[in-house]
Amino acid sequence: MDNLFNTEQMTKTMKKAQRRATWKTIFITFCVLIVTLSAGKIANDAITRFLQSHAQNSFYTLHQVKGANEFIGSIRNYPGILGGEMHYKTIKYIEGKVVLTGDDAIGYGFLRDEVLYEGAGSVISIGKSNREEDLNSQRYNEYGQREMLFFYPFINYQKMRNDLALLPEMDDQKIMEVALSFDKGYSMQEVLEKLPKDVNTTWLWVKDVNEADDHTGKIEENGEVVGSFNVMLSEQDVYGFSLLNANGEVAENPAEQFVRAISSGTRQKSSLQDEYKRLEKEIGGADGLSVNDLVIYGAVVTGNKKTLTSLQDLDFIKASSIGVITDKY
C-alpha cells in the first residue's frame, strides 16, 4: 500500500516499462527489416537473373543473324536493382587467329532496353558509314581496325570500294578479311562454287530487302528533304550468317542455324521482335522462312596477299572492302 503513494517508485517502474517497450519495438522492427531486406534481395536476385537470361538470349540471337564475321568473345554481368549491365567483348577469326574488335556494354531491366548499345564514336573517323560521301575517308572502329562496307547489287553507285586493288601494297606476311559485294543474288551453293578454294569464306551476306522498294536515304534540313543518297551498309548493319562456329571451327548447318535464330527472335519479347518478323517475311515470304529462301548478296573471306589476289579478276564481284588486317602470329 505504501508503494501506491510512492511517486518515485511509480516513475521508475513506468520508465522501466517504457524502455522494455522501446527495445521490444526496436527488436521487432529490426527483425522485420532483416526479413524484408532478405526477401527483397532474394526476389531482386531472382528477377534480375530472369531479366539477365532474357537479355543475354536476345543478345546472342541478334549476333547470330547480324554483324559480319564477328562473335561474342566474353560477357561479364553486373547485376543491379531489377536489372543490370552486360559488358562484352567481340572477336573475329582471321585465318584462325583471334582478333579483339570491340569492348562495349548493354543495359537490361524493367526501365532499360536490352538492345541499346552504350558506346559511341567520338570522332568522325570512328563510326559507321552509310552513304557514298563517307567513302571519301576510311572509317575505323575503336581499335583502329578498318570498317568493311557492303554494296547492294541493284543500286548504281557513283563510288564504291575496290580494296582488292590495294593488295600489291600489302605486306606478304599480313592476313586480313575482305567483304565482297556481288553483282546479283546467288544461292549459297553457287557462291561457294564461284569463290576460289584457296581463300577461306567465313561469312555470307543474306538479302533482306525488296529490290523494288526505294533504297535511297533522305537528306533533311530544318525538317525539309533537300536531297538523297545511295545507301550502303556498314559491317555492323548487314544480316547474314557465319560459316564458322564460336570456336572458329567449321560450323554445322550454318544456314539452318540462321533460319532458326530468326524464328526464335520472332517469339522473343524484345524491342527487336518486329525486326525479326520483318526478316522472316522479307526473306521467306508469305509461306514462311526456310533455307531455300536464302539469297546471298555478298561474303566475307580471309587470307593473305597471295591467296586473295585470285579474287581480283572475278567478274561477279561488284565491290570489295578490306576490314581487319593483322599479323599471322
Side-chain angles (χ1 to χ4, degrees), residues 62 79 152 160 171 223 238 242 256:
L62 176 63
Y152 286 115
M160 290 187 296
D171 188 325
V238 284
S242 177
E256 287 85 347

Side-chain angles (χ1 to χ4, degrees), residues 42-82:
I42 293 172
N44 179 73
D45 290 348
I47 293 173
T48 300
R49 281 195 298 269
F50 172 78
L51 294 172
Q52 172 192 315
S53 176
H54 175 78
Q56 192 161 315
N57 289 338
S58 178
F59 184 58
Y60 272 108
T61 299
L62 176 63
H63 275 266
Q64 284 183 295
V65 301
K66 192 175 187 181
N69 206 35
E70 194 168 68
F71 295 91
I72 302 301
S74 65
I75 287 183
R76 291 182 180 272
N77 290 296
Y78 296 89
I81 299 176
L82 299 180

Side-chain angles (χ1 to χ4, degrees), residues 34 38 49 102 106 180 189 195 200 249 254 320:
I34 292 297
S38 299
R49 281 195 298 269
I106 58 174
L180 305 177
Q189 182 177 354
L195 290 172
N200 291 318
E249 302 166 344
S320 56

Side-chain angles (χ1 to χ4, degrees), residues 6 19 25 44 46 93 110 114 116-118 124 134 150 152 175 225 228-229 254 257 266 276 285 287 311 314 318 322:
N6 189 338
R19 286 196 297 271
T25 301
N44 179 73
Y93 291 103
F110 283 123
E114 74 272 11
L116 290 181
Y117 293 75
E118 302 289 343
I124 194 169
D134 294 334
F150 294 82
Y152 286 115
I175 53 177
V225 178
S228 62
F229 58 90
Q257 293 181 31
T266 62
Y276 286 117
D287 58 345
L311 299 169
L314 300 180
K318 178 177 181 176
I322 293 177

Side-chain angles (χ1 to χ4, degrees), residues 64-166:
Q64 284 183 295
V65 301
K66 192 175 187 181
N69 206 35
E70 194 168 68
F71 295 91
I72 302 301
S74 65
I75 287 183
R76 291 182 180 272
N77 290 296
Y78 296 89
I81 299 176
L82 299 180
E85 283 190 351
M86 293 189 302
H87 292 228
Y88 66 94
K89 298 181 185 295
T90 55
I91 62 171
K92 290 184 177 183
Y93 291 103
I94 311 296
E95 294 294 281
K97 180 180 179 179
V98 177
V99 180
L100 183 65
T101 58
D103 188 351
D104 223 321
I106 58 174
Y108 60 89
F110 283 123
L111 301 178
R112 305 186 68 173
D113 190 336
E114 74 272 11
V115 298
L116 290 181
Y117 293 75
E118 302 289 343
S122 59
V123 294
I124 194 169
S125 60
I126 298 177
K128 298 191 296 186
S129 306
N130 69 344
R131 60 179 71 185
E132 287 173 279
E133 68 180 43
D134 294 334
L135 296 175
N136 294 330
S137 62
Q138 175 68 51
R139 292 194 176 179
Y140 303 85
N141 64 15
E142 60 189 287
Y143 290 101
Q145 297 159 341
R146 294 167 61 97
E147 173 198 32
M148 292 189 297
L149 298 174
F150 294 82
F151 299 82
Y152 286 115
F154 52 85
I155 291 180
N156 293 319
Y157 296 94
Q158 299 300 312
K159 296 178 65 176
M160 290 187 296
R161 283 264 189 257
N162 179 26
D163 285 354
L164 289 176
L166 301 177

Side-chain angles (χ1 to χ4, degrees), residues 69 71 93 95-96 188 192 197 199-204 241-257 302:
N69 206 35
F71 295 91
Y93 291 103
E95 294 294 281
M188 177 179 172
L192 297 180
K197 303 304 180 185
V199 299
N200 291 318
T201 305
T202 59
W203 190 87
L204 298 179
F241 57 92
S242 177
L243 301 181
L244 305 177
N245 60 26
N247 295 320
E249 302 166 344
V250 176
E252 294 185 8
N253 304 317
E256 287 85 347
Q257 293 181 31
T302 64

